[in-house]
Amino acid sequence: MFLATNATQKDVVLLISYSGTTAEIENEAKVLKRRKIPFILISSNKNCLAAQYADLLLLLPDAENNIQTLSTFFIANSNRLCFECAVCLYIQSSLLS
C-alpha cells in the first residue's frame, strides 16, 4: 500500500496488472479511489474492480496464457514505454474532458 498511502491528489499513479485481480492491485485501487488520487490502470481485464475505479484504463489484449505471455513488465524498457504511453493518454483525455 505504499503508493496509496504516500501519493497525493497532485500525483497520478500507474498500476499495471495483467489480470487486475491481485489483492495488492485491488487494495491500492480502493484506497486511491477513496483518497481521490487519480490513477491509470494497464490491464487486460476491463471488468475487474480496479478498472471500475481507474480514471483511465488502458486495455491489453486478453490473449495471454501460461505458455505464451505478452510481457513480464520487468524489463526496464517496457516499463518506461508503458509509463510514457499512459502519461500521454492521461494528458490527452484530461485535455478532451
Side-chain angles (χ1 to χ4, degrees), residues 27-39:
N27 290 335
E28 291 277 358
K30 287 177 190 176
V31 173
L32 291 167
K33 186 67 173 180
R34 187 175 70 239
R35 294 187 60 220
K36 297 181 177 154
I37 297 169
F39 75 95

Side-chain angles (χ1 to χ4, degrees), residues 12-65:
V12 175
V13 174
L14 177 63
L15 298 178
I16 303 172
S17 171
Y18 187 77
S19 71
T21 59
T22 62
E24 181 181 6
I25 292 293
E26 287 185 352
N27 290 335
E28 291 277 358
K30 287 177 190 176
V31 173
L32 291 167
K33 186 67 173 180
R34 187 175 70 239
R35 294 187 60 220
K36 297 181 177 154
I37 297 169
F39 75 95
I40 300 166
L41 175 65
I42 298 176
S43 178
S44 68
N45 186 352
K46 66 182 178 186
N47 299 315
C48 67
L49 180 66
Q52 295 171 25
Y53 290 157
D55 294 280
L56 180 65
L57 173 63
L58 303 178
L59 279 174
L60 295 171
D62 62 357
E64 187 174 72
N65 58 47

